[in-house]
Amino acid sequence: MKIPEEYLELTAPKTVAPAEIEDAFIKVNPGLSSSAIAVTCDKSRLGEVRICMSKDLQFRACEEIDRRACRRDQVLMPPMRGG
């Protein structure tokens, strides 16, 4: 599982569309599809990037996480703490 380069060492908060985050993860992880990833959020901040994998660590579709995905146009991605 690779984290897209543009999200690795944020020094300041970044505003981004949840779909843009998904697309960036799909681009750097061959085999990952939009049905296997979901971005969660609260009122305005990124919560998690959830990725579904099978027991043998292959990407798999999972509708259950997509139902709880972020529906906002933009979210705030804070810089990592303590990295």
Side-chain angles (χ1 to χ4, degrees):
M1 187 74 234
K2 291 182 183 177
I3 297 173
E5 190 74 30
E6 62 266 36
Y7 303 133
L8 277 177
E9 295 185 23
L10 293 180
T11 57
K14 179 176 185 163
T15 301
V16 63
E20 189 178 325
I21 297 169
E22 286 187 13
D23 290 345
F25 271 82
I26 290 168
K27 184 177 179 181
V28 298
N29 289 283
L32 180 61
S33 69
S34 60
S35 63
I37 184 172
V39 174
T40 67
C41 63
D42 61 16
K43 291 181 182 178
S44 63
R45 291 173 59 119
L46 172 79
E48 297 175 322
V49 176
R50 294 181 176 182
I51 306 221
C52 292
M53 301 180 92
S54 64
K55 289 180 182 180
D56 60 350
L57 301 180
Q58 300 299 308
F59 299 119
R60 69 168 182 85
C62 52
E63 295 176 14
E64 66 274 12
I65 68 161
D66 202 36
R67 285 193 294 268
R68 295 186 298 260
C70 184
R71 304 289 184 226
R72 301 210 171 272
D73 291 334
Q74 299 281 309
V75 293
L76 183 68
M77 180 183 288
M80 287 180 49
R81 293 181 282 173

